[in-house]
Amino acid sequence: MKSAVETLNPTRVRLTVEVPFEELKDSLDAAYKKINQQVTVKGFRKGKIPARIIDQRFGRGAVLEEAVNDALPKFYTDAVNEAELNPLGQPEVDITELKDGETLNFTAEVDIRPALEIPDYSGIEVEVDAIEVTDEDIDKSVEQLRERFASNTPVERAAGDGDVVTVDLEAKVDGEILEDGVAQGVSYTIGSGELLDGIDEAVTGLEAGGEATFTSELKGGSAAGQSAEVTVKVTQVAARELPALDDDFAQLASEFDTLEELRADSRKRLANMKQYDQATQAQERVLDKLLELVEVPVPEKLLEDEINTRKHNLEHHQLGQMGLSLDKYLELQGKTAEEFETETHEAAIKGIKTQFVLDELVKLEKLNVNQEELTEHLMRRAASSGMSPDQFAQAVVEGGQVPLLVGEVARGKALAVVVEAATVKDTNGEIIDLDDEDEAEDGAEAEAETEPTTAPTQATEEKPES
C-alpha cells in the first residue's frame, strides 16, 4: 500500500491511497465466506458454494463491494498512522479506482488536530478581585442562618409581607382546570417570589378562609408558559418570628458558645469562599490570556457539531427539565435570538480552542493522570451529576467515556501549571500566591470540563463513510 498526504488547510487533509489487489485477498476470502453463509444455491450445501458459482449467480461486483467495505477501515487507519496524523471524526471517502485483479485507489478527506506552537507563558499577568470580608457580609451571613431557625406562629389577622400562608391553588386555562393545576396545603412566604407572579398581591390582606383570583403565567407543568386564571384560598396565616441575636442563638444554631465566636467563624468561612472565587477567577483569566497567545485554527465541521450539541443540550436537557422553551428562556434572559447565536458560536470556539491548547500542553509538559486523581475527579463529577459514585462509574465505563475523564483531569493539570507560572495580582496590587495545588487543580478541571461538549478525539475504528 502507498499513501500520500495533501494539506487542504491547517485543519483538513486529503489522503490518497493506492492498494495492490493482492492486499485485498483476506477481505475477498471473508466476503465469499460471508455470502456463503447468507445465500442458498440448489445443489450445494450451505457454506460450500464455490467462488465461481457465487460470481455467476450474484455477481463479482457484490463480492468486491463487500471486500472493499471490509478492508477500507484498515487501509485508512494504516495511512493515518503512516502519516502520523491526529484525525477528528470520520473521513469522507471516495473510491477513485477499483480494477478487479489490479488495484484499489481511494481518497479520504478528514479534519485533523492543528499543529500548535505554545509560546513561553511564564510572562502571563492577570488581575483578580481582592479578598475583603466586610461587617455587612457577616451580618448577611448570620441573618441567613437566623432565617433558617425562624418559627411560624399562627395568627388570626390578615396576611402581610413576610407572613407565611398556607394556601390551596387551582389553575384554569381557557376555563378548564388543569390536571396538574391543583395543589393543597402549599406553604408560601409572602414577598419571597418563589411561587407565581401575582400571588403576593392576591393573598396580602386575606385572613384564613379568604379567597382571591388572579392571572399569572405558569412557570412549569403541562401548560408552562401559558396564561392561567389562578384561584388561591388561604387556609392559615402565620407570623414568621426570628430568634434574638444573642449567645443563646449561637448555641442553638452552631457549635459555638457566643455570638462573637459565631461571627468570627462566619468571617473565616466567607474569606475561604472568596479565596476560592479568587482562584477560579485567576484560572479563567489566565486561560483567556493563554488563548490570546496561541493561534488556533478551528475545523469547520467540528465547530458546527459543537454548536449543535450545545443547543441540543440546552433545549432538550437543561431547559426541558425546567419546563422552559428556548424562546421563553431568551425572554427571561433578555436576549435576542441573534445574541444567543453569537454567544453560542463564541463559546463553542473557545471550548474547542481550550481543549486543543490544553491537550498540547499535556504533551509538552509530559503530564500523566494517576488512578487516585482519576478517582477523585470521578467522585466530583458523580456529585455534580446527582448520581452515586458507583452509578456514575458504571455509566462511564459502559459508555466508553473513561478516556474523556482522563483527558479532563489532564487538561485541569495543564491549566494549573500555567496558572502557577503566571503572575496574579489583586486589585490592591498584592501578588496572590496560588500554591494550594488541590484547589487550583479542582478549579482548573472544572474550567476544562465545562468548555467543549464534543470532545475532539482521535478517529475511532468505525468504517469510513464512502
Side-chain angles (χ1 to χ4, degrees):
M1 184 193 81
K2 294 192 301 182
S3 64
V5 181
E6 176 188 356
T7 300
L8 303 178
N9 61 50
T11 62
R12 193 166 181 83
V13 297
R14 178 188 293 122
L15 285 163
T16 301
V17 184
E18 298 179 8
V19 183
F21 202 80
E22 56 266 23
E23 293 188 29
L24 281 171
K25 183 180 183 308
D26 289 345
S27 293
L28 277 170
D29 291 343
Y32 279 116
K33 184 176 181 180
K34 181 177 180 180
I35 294 174
N36 240 309
Q37 299 300 321
Q38 295 175 337
V39 301
T40 302
V41 176
K42 189 174 181 180
F44 296 95
R45 285 183 297 166
K46 196 175 187 68
K48 299 296 184 180
I49 308 170
R52 61 181 178 81
I53 299 299
I54 290 177
D55 289 346
Q56 290 172 2
R57 290 292 185 92
F58 306 102
R60 173 71 166 177
V63 180
L64 288 176
E65 182 179 356
E66 180 67 35
V68 169
N69 286 338
D70 176 73
L72 268 180
K74 177 184 181 302
F75 293 136
Y76 166 73
T77 301
D78 289 346
V80 164
N81 293 336
E82 183 179 305
E84 298 182 345
L85 299 176
N86 292 312
L88 303 170
Q90 292 302 305
E92 294 179 6
V93 176
D94 181 25
I95 298 174
T96 55
E97 187 175 25
L98 175 59
K99 289 186 178 180
D100 195 357
E102 296 183 26
T103 186
L104 163 66
N105 298 335
F106 69 90
T107 62
E109 287 191 19
V110 67
D111 287 329
I112 60 169
R113 281 179 176 265
L116 302 180
E117 289 211 17
I118 306 295
D120 180 14
Y121 48 78
S122 61
I124 290 178
E125 293 188 12
V126 298
E127 183 180 75
V128 295
D129 295 335
I131 295 176
E132 182 181 2
V133 180
T134 65
D135 288 341
E136 288 76 13
D137 292 331
I138 298 172
D139 290 342
K140 183 178 179 181
S141 175
V142 173
E143 191 63 25
Q144 289 173 343
L145 184 61
R146 193 179 174 208
E147 286 280 349
R148 288 169 51 191
F149 285 86
S151 59
N152 299 327
T153 303
V155 293
E156 295 183 5
R157 60 166 172 78
D161 189 45
D163 286 340
V164 179
V165 291
T166 303
V167 298
D168 296 336
L169 297 165
E170 181 183 86
K172 295 180 180 179
V173 173
D174 296 330
E176 296 290 331
I177 299 175
L178 299 172
E179 289 186 11
D180 56 354
V182 178
Q184 295 180 328
V186 177
S187 180
Y188 175 68
T189 301
I190 299 175
S192 67
E194 295 175 350
L195 206 52
L196 293 168
D197 293 338
I199 192 171
D200 288 339
E201 295 79 1
V203 298
T204 297
L206 295 181
E207 297 183 14
E211 187 175 299
T213 300
F214 63 100
T215 301
S216 182
E217 184 177 298
L218 300 179
K219 297 179 180 179
S222 61
Q226 295 186 47
S227 181
E229 182 182 86
V230 182
T231 299
V232 56
K233 180 178 181 180
V234 176
T235 60
Q236 178 181 279
V237 178
R240 189 167 178 78
E241 298 179 355
L242 297 174
L245 274 178
D246 52 23
D247 292 346
D248 289 340
F249 168 68
Q251 293 167 22
L252 170 69
S254 70
E255 71 271 27
F256 302 106
D257 293 327
T258 67
L259 183 61
E260 183 178 350
E261 290 175 328
L262 174 61
R263 288 179 65 86
D265 180 69
S266 294
R267 182 181 294 277
K268 181 180 178 181
R269 286 187 299 102
L270 288 171
N272 288 338
M273 290 171 58
K274 287 178 179 285
Q275 186 176 19
Y276 178 81
D277 291 342
Q278 186 187 66
T280 301
Q281 190 179 62
Q283 290 151 10
E284 292 172 351
R285 294 182 179 181
V286 167
L287 175 61
D288 289 340
K289 288 282 188 181
L290 177 64
L291 294 181
E292 290 176 8
L293 294 177
V294 187
E295 184 177 346
V296 187
V298 176
E300 292 183 10
K301 181 64 167 61
L302 184 65
L303 177 58
E304 180 184 343
D305 291 344
E306 175 70 8
I307 290 172
N308 290 337
T309 299
R310 286 174 181 258
K311 289 180 178 178
H312 178 84
N313 288 343
L314 176 65
E315 289 191 66
H316 299 281
H317 297 293
Q318 300 170 40
L319 298 184
Q321 292 175 356
M322 295 187 289
L324 291 176
S325 66
L326 179 59
D327 289 341
K328 183 60 181 177
Y329 167 75
L330 294 180
E331 180 184 331
L332 294 173
Q333 293 290 312
K335 295 178 183 176
T336 65
E338 291 74 18
E339 289 172 335
F340 170 72
E341 291 289 340
T342 299
E343 289 181 6
T344 304
H345 184 269
E346 291 175 351
I349 289 178
K350 182 181 179 182
I352 294 171
K353 286 185 175 181
T354 296
Q355 187 157 335
F356 282 162
V357 170
L358 294 183
D359 283 346
E360 190 66 27
L361 271 168
V362 169
K363 291 191 296 181
L364 185 66
E365 300 292 346
K366 297 181 173 58
L367 301 175
N368 296 310
V369 176
N370 59 41
Q371 185 61 48
E372 183 180 355
E373 291 168 333
L374 183 60
T375 300
E376 289 177 357
H377 182 65
L378 186 147
M379 298 282 282
R380 286 192 295 271
R381 288 293 302 273
S384 65
S385 71
M387 300 170 67
S388 72
D390 287 344
Q391 289 174 324
F392 188 80
Q394 182 178 355
V396 166
V397 172
E398 291 178 353
Q401 302 297 300
V402 173
L404 295 183
L405 284 189
V406 172
E408 289 174 0
V409 178
R411 285 189 288 276
K413 295 179 70 171
L415 181 54
V417 168
V418 182
V419 172
E420 186 178 352
T423 299
V424 181
K425 295 182 180 180
D426 66 16
T427 49
N428 294 329
E430 297 290 331
I431 293 180
I432 305 301
D433 185 1
L434 295 173
D435 281 342
D436 190 340
E437 185 175 334
D438 290 337
E439 182 179 58
E441 287 186 13
D442 288 355
E445 286 174 27
E447 175 71 25
E449 74 197 38
T450 55
E451 286 297 351
T453 56
T454 53
T457 55
Q458 296 242 350
T460 62
E461 292 301 314
E462 298 177 34
K463 291 184 178 181
E465 298 173 3
S466 58

